[in-house]
Amino acid sequence: MSRTPVVQVSGLTRDFVVRPRGHRLRGRRVRAVHDLSFTVRPGEAVGYIGANGAGKSTTIKMLAGILVPTAGEVRTCGLRPVQDRRALARRIGVVFGQRSQLWWDLPVAESFRILAAIHHLDAAGERARTGELVDRLEMGAYLDTPVRQLSLGQRMRAEVAAALLHSPRLVILDEPTIGLDVLSKQRLREFLIEERREHGTSLMLTTHDMGDVERLCPRVLVIDDGTLAYDGTLSGLSRTVGARRVLVVDLERPTEPLTGIPSTEHLSTQAQGLQQRLAFDPERTTAAAVLAAVSQRSEVRDLAIEEPDIEDVVRRIYAARR
Amino acid sequence: MTPTDAVSMPPAAARAYRRLLAAGFRQQSAYLAAAVGGLVANVTFGFLKAAILLATLAAAGGTLGGYDTGRMLAYVWVSQAMLGLINVSGRDVLGERIRTGDIAVDFLRPLDLQLAGLSTHLGTRLFTLLPRGLPTLTIGLLTTGMALPSGPAPYLLGAVSVLLATTLAYLAVYALNMSALWLVEIRGLQVTYMVVASFCCGLYIPVGIFPGWLETLARLTPFPSMLMTPVDVLSGYAVGTDALRLVLAQVAWVVVVGLLGHLLTRAGRRHLEVQGG
Ligand SMILES: Nc1ncnc2c1ncn2[C@@H]1O[C@H](COP(=O)(O)OP(=O)(O)OP(=O)(O)O)[C@@H](O)[C@H]1O
Ligand SMILES: [Mg+2]
């Protein structure tokens, strides 16, 4: 595999001029992305996270060559995205969670056939790759169904397959799990893990779901108001902001709020004290220790541990920077 | 890609555009009911148009601008049959895709946007020919005494002319809709286009019976090449070198309007602000 970075960005900046309705000349300049620099090496999987409006989609559009930067340099798969659009389209696969690239009135299988022709797959290559994707994403049952009749989960699987049909070197996913249920998210993540293991595909993913990042992305980029706020591992990210986990306990009998447990904070009490939520810092205590402390005060019937909320992590990063 | 690239395209690339054509055809077949509705409308307005134009002809003393009754009926029914083929509404999915940002998906494919759009469009038009165009023509043939040319030449040249007209009509609407990249809101432009194009292409009355100055003006635009030319060739109103010259004018317009759309696409891509996200 080639050693050139799959993504190389330096000083990347993009402004939009937002004009109030009816005013063609007066406009306010909005800086959506500001002086962004980072590199993604072949085979890496990077989670690109940030609050709504932080500039994630804007960055991705520039990487894919559908938006021209105001300033700075972009190379995707070694190519200039805007000038080399068509060559780049053969090397990357992009999914925008909100948009469809399938043919609405045609059966799913027909979309795959058209895309295979667009990407110049030969008959054998097309059969093999389509078969592989249909199996792994479990699409066999609805291959002959028109796209407009698919459920969201079914369609998203087909969208991902469509973006990966030509075995791109880099896959860019902008909120691929938006609106999916837990099982569908799980299935999609497992597919992406397998795909990366077998083909060494690089991955860049934006999401508001921490589960996506945890399962898929060893490396995380956090963008805040158009600038890079963090670049490193996911565990490092939780550590820098002191991300806390939350233990939810269901108790046998109504219990007084469970305050005063070492290194934990009592968050809330529901159902007359039958359910309580406790936040703890995994660097300073463990779920087991917290549970033991709770058990001394009341009998625990059931428990759940909530993962750190991505919005919460991002909020803390932002707060630390201001 | 330039229009000449399309001619010298490698087979693998040509296969992609052929697939799009077939996809357009199949996609359109999902809207059979709409096509049947279109047929009813085309035929109804065909009889209306025939009645008005024949009355006008009678008032003018039997012929007008080279049209007698048989010719006029041929004009009416061939033009009605072609209505489903040519887009003079000014609207196209392209403008809508630019407005919503779905155009991003199109630009993410290793295809020439204009040629891909044309392939799909020709596929859809080819389909509407079956439930809408051909039945309209058949009804016209069976119920009225329209004059038709003899010998194969007008039909062969006519078929080429119909294809060119359909292509030209699409390319013009493509270029118009591309302007949405700059204007975002193009409904006013589309309505203006529809009014001018549908009149100047000869949809309501033949261009040949326009007042002299208006005919001159109309013939300076690409619009007669979108409808009047194939109708005149197919009905035998224009024959021999006259017909050939008209078809060559169509080719020239296809090149000019196609080039315009190509340049707009190139410039527009740098201007593109994919909406939404
Ligand atoms: N076409 C556009 N015209 C004007 N402003 C835009 C345009 N696209 C994006 N913006 C602005 O740029 C900023 C970044 O938007 P972007 O879509 O990149 O955010 P995002 O990080 O993807 O957010 P989300 O998580 O909500 O998808 C926002 O302030 C947005 O309003
Ligand atoms: Mg976004």
Side-chain angles (χ1 to χ4, degrees), chain A residues 209-225:
Chain A
D209 187 323
M210 197 58 161
D212 289 345
V213 180
E214 287 204 321
R215 290 300 313 277
L216 293 167
C217 308
R219 179 175 167 205
V220 176
L221 300 174
V222 179
I223 183 170
D224 170 22
D225 205 11

Side-chain angles (χ1 to χ4, degrees), chain B residues 222-235:
Chain B
F223 302 120
S225 287
M226 295 178 191
L227 183 73
M228 211 55 234
T229 296
V231 171
D232 283 347
V233 173
L234 274 174
S235 65

Side-chain angles (χ1 to χ4, degrees), chain B residues 115-268:
Chain B
L115 204 55
L118 177 63
S119 306
T120 308
H121 182 78
L122 288 181
T124 64
R125 296 309 93 191
L126 213 58
F127 176 81
T128 59
L129 206 54
L130 303 179
R132 192 170 157 189
L134 294 178
T136 302
L137 196 61
T138 310
I139 288 168
L141 270 175
L142 293 179
T143 57
T144 61
M146 57 192 258
L148 284 175
S150 51
Y155 298 101
L156 287 176
L157 193 62
V160 173
S161 179
V162 167
L163 182 65
L164 285 167
T166 311
T167 302
L168 176 60
Y170 176 78
L171 290 176
V173 169
Y174 175 94
L176 181 77
N177 279 260
M178 248 313 146
S179 67
L181 283 174
W182 289 269
L183 305 174
V184 181
E185 183 49 66
I186 57 167
R187 253 172 298 182
L189 207 60
Q190 287 170 329
V191 171
T192 310
Y193 181 89
M194 180 182 74
V195 171
V196 174
S198 55
F199 186 79
C200 291
C201 75
L203 178 60
Y204 306 124
I205 52 171
V207 178
I209 65 172
F210 282 9
W213 62 274
L214 193 56
E215 181 179 351
T216 313
L217 213 62
R219 292 214 186 272
L220 289 174
T221 71
F223 302 120
S225 287
M226 295 178 191
L227 183 73
M228 211 55 234
T229 296
V231 171
D232 283 347
V233 173
L234 274 174
S235 65
Y237 179 79
V239 288
T241 49
D242 273 354
L244 213 55
R245 217 178 24 243
L246 284 172
V247 173
L248 284 176
Q250 283 186 297
V251 173
W253 277 119
V254 164
V255 172
V256 169
V257 176
L259 208 57
L260 174 70
H262 175 74
L263 293 176
L264 283 172
T265 311
R266 267 226 323 233

Side-chain angles (χ1 to χ4, degrees), chain A residues 141-297:
Chain A
Y142 58 84
L143 264 187
D144 296 321
T145 309
V147 172
R148 63 183 140 80
Q149 292 174 10
L150 299 184
S151 77
L152 178 65
Q154 292 171 332
R155 188 172 68 74
M156 279 315 296
R157 275 183 272 160
E159 295 287 353
V160 170
L164 270 70
L165 194 75
H166 57 295
S167 308
R169 284 212 274 155
L170 169 66
V171 174
I172 301 178
L173 307 173
D174 194 355
E175 303 194 41
T177 56
I178 194 165
L180 298 191
D181 68 25
V182 181
L183 200 68
S184 305
K185 280 184 188 177
Q186 195 56 31
R187 210 188 268 145
L188 193 58
R189 290 172 193 156
E190 270 159 26
F191 164 76
L192 289 168
I193 290 167
E194 270 176 55
E195 178 71 16
R196 284 180 22 75
R197 190 170 53 221
E198 299 218 343
H199 301 283
T201 315
S202 312
L203 178 69
M204 185 148 175
L205 169 90
T206 82
T207 184
H208 291 283
D209 187 323
M210 197 58 161
D212 289 345
V213 180
E214 287 204 321
R215 290 300 313 277
L216 293 167
C217 308
R219 179 175 167 205
V220 176
L221 300 174
V222 179
I223 183 170
D224 170 22
D225 205 11
T227 66
L228 200 60
Y230 177 83
D231 179 355
T233 63
L234 183 61
S235 51
L237 173 64
S238 306
R239 237 176 289 127
T240 36
V241 297
R244 299 179 307 173
R245 301 175 114 183
V246 174
L247 179 69
V248 186
V249 286
D250 286 336
L251 304 167
E252 275 302 342
R253 54 178 192 280
T255 305
E256 288 293 297
L258 295 160
T259 51
I261 296 172
S263 300
T264 58
E265 183 194 341
H266 177 259
L267 292 179
S268 64
T269 301
Q270 282 103 31
Q272 289 96 42
L274 278 172
Q275 187 182 67
Q276 306 205 14
R277 295 173 71 243
L278 302 164
F280 66 96
D281 178 353
E283 296 281 301
R284 290 197 282 167
T285 183
T286 64
V290 178
L291 188 60
V294 172
S295 303
Q296 287 188 345
R297 298 204 203 165

Side-chain angles (χ1 to χ4, degrees), chain A residues 57 61 82 85 99 101 105, chain B residues 31 107 109 269 275-277:
Chain A
S57 297
K61 287 170 191 170
V82 173
R85 170 183 74 91
R99 303 186 197 286
Q101 55 184 312
D105 296 310
Chain B
Y31 300 99
F107 274 126
R109 298 202 168 117
R269 226 158 60 67
Q275 308 282 315

Side-chain angles (χ1 to χ4, degrees), chain A residues 14 16 24 57 61 64-68 82-83 85-86 89-90 94 96 99-101 103 105-107 110 113-115 117-121 126 148 174, chain B residues 1 12-13 15-17 19-20 23 26-27 30-31 97 100-102 104-113 182-183 269-270 272-277:
Chain A
R14 172 70 208 210
F16 288 107
R24 293 218 38 92
S57 297
K61 287 170 191 170
I66 50 176
L67 188 65
V68 181
V82 173
Q83 291 90 333
R85 170 183 74 91
R86 281 158 68 183
R90 299 195 180 282
V94 185
F96 287 112
R99 303 186 197 286
S100 180
Q101 55 184 312
W103 278 259
D105 296 310
L106 300 183
E110 184 65 25
R113 274 194 287 273
I114 300 166
L115 287 165
I118 287 174
H119 285 290
H120 301 178
L121 299 192
E126 176 182 346
R148 63 183 140 80
D174 194 355
Chain B
M1 176 166 310
R15 185 172 141 247
Y17 294 104
R19 269 268 179 228
L20 287 175
R26 287 196 57 189
Q27 222 170 350
Y31 300 99
R97 290 179 76 78
T100 60
D102 281 347
V105 171
D106 304 327
F107 274 126
L108 283 169
R109 298 202 168 117
L111 294 174
D112 179 82
L113 195 72
W182 289 269
L183 305 174
R269 226 158 60 67
R270 315 204 136 261
L272 178 65
E273 289 189 1
V274 175
Q275 308 282 315

